Amino acid sequence: MEIKKVAVIVGSLRKESFNRKVANEMIRLAPEGLELNIVEIKDLTFFSEDIENDPPQEWLNFKQKISDSDAVIFVSPEYNRTIPGVLKNAMEIGARPPKLNSWKGKPGAVVTVSPGAIGGLGSNQTIRIAASNVHISVMAQPEAYIGGIKDKLLEDGVTVDEKTEKFLVTFLEAFKAWTEKF
Ligand code: FNR
């Protein structure tokens, strides 16, 4: 069976990030044929056009990891109802210069996680727009807004409850089918 490599980008740099916890659960729950790995964004300096043609090594390393992946999943919080700056920065770095857009043509998906009730809806929608504009083909359905995350983690603080686990499995199966169209 062909294995699809999926780059998972976590839109939070927080040590105890709920989004990272959910991303790790997705890695654990991935179906056969999907291999998920987190690609870190914490070492990326701010994007500037002044250096895009002579980029720092950490940009090149990031772009190479994206290029080497068959697909991408963003797992992100919502900041002020939109996309966190660190994630948007990573998207610019991946996309530039235009002839070396590392995201181009890849199937993608968006998961947003929040302690709040609406699960980062605003962030999810804005990440979809940004991802589409860097030529990622974003899976439309199912959508993944994981709200009230504090109540969905078990006592160990890292494992999601049964209902959330089932949802993530369904989501990942759908994403696997989506990647197979490319
Ligand atoms: C937030 N938070 C937040 N939550 C939300 O549901 N909608 C929002 O618009 C915002 N806005 C916001 C702005 C900023 C600057 C911060 C720091 C936080 C709360 C946020 O969901 C919460 O801190 C999460 O725990 C962040 O995700 P991680 O770091 O746990 O993955």
Side-chain angles (χ1 to χ4, degrees), residues 12-14 16-20 77-82 113-116 118-120:
S12 168
L13 306 187
R14 199 169 73 87
E16 289 299 316
S17 164
F18 293 121
N19 281 274
R20 183 173 287 268
E78 173 171 86
Y79 278 1
N80 298 313
R81 294 279 178 259
T82 182
V113 179
S114 173
I118 53 175

Side-chain angles (χ1 to χ4, degrees), residues 11-179:
S12 168
L13 306 187
R14 199 169 73 87
K15 283 196 199 81
E16 289 299 316
S17 164
F18 293 121
N19 281 274
R20 183 173 287 268
K21 287 176 181 178
V22 170
N24 283 328
E25 283 290 80
M26 292 174 72
I27 290 169
R28 178 175 74 84
L29 298 167
E32 209 179 324
L34 279 193
E35 184 194 303
L36 275 62
N37 281 296
I38 294 177
V39 175
E40 299 292 348
I41 61 172
K42 68 178 179 356
D43 295 327
L44 298 174
T45 49
F46 285 137
F47 175 78
S48 165
E49 270 191 273
D50 289 340
I51 56 171
E52 70 175 354
N53 291 314
D54 185 18
Q57 190 59 43
E58 70 266 19
W59 292 19
L60 293 172
N61 295 346
F62 176 75
K63 286 175 71 68
Q64 191 61 51
K65 285 177 188 164
I66 300 303
S67 298
D68 289 346
S69 304
D70 301 300
V72 56
I73 300 179
F74 299 99
V75 185
S76 179
E78 173 171 86
Y79 278 1
N80 298 313
R81 294 279 178 259
T82 182
I83 176 172
V86 289
L87 176 54
K88 190 67 166 56
N89 188 54
M91 291 176 88
E92 293 5 329
I93 289 167
R96 298 289 295 192
K99 282 188 182 152
L100 298 174
N101 178 359
S102 313
W103 309 108
K104 194 172 180 181
K106 299 200 190 288
V110 182
V111 176
T112 47
V113 179
S114 173
I118 53 175
L121 170 77
S123 178
N124 196 303
Q125 294 296 320
T126 44
I127 295 168
R128 282 166 184 267
I129 292 169
S132 300
N133 286 320
V134 296
H135 292 209
I136 293 170
S137 294
V138 182
M139 181 173 75
Q141 297 284 339
E143 295 160 286
Y145 312 110
I146 303 182
I149 184 63
K150 286 181 186 167
D151 299 328
K152 290 177 175 155
L153 285 171
L154 300 183
E155 272 179 14
D156 64 5
V158 291
T159 314
V160 293
D161 63 22
E162 199 182 331
K163 198 170 162 203
T164 309
E165 181 171 310
K166 271 193 187 143
F167 171 75
L168 290 175
V169 167
T170 304
F171 184 87
L172 287 163
E173 287 289 356
F175 187 63
K176 184 181 168 189
W178 180 244
T179 64

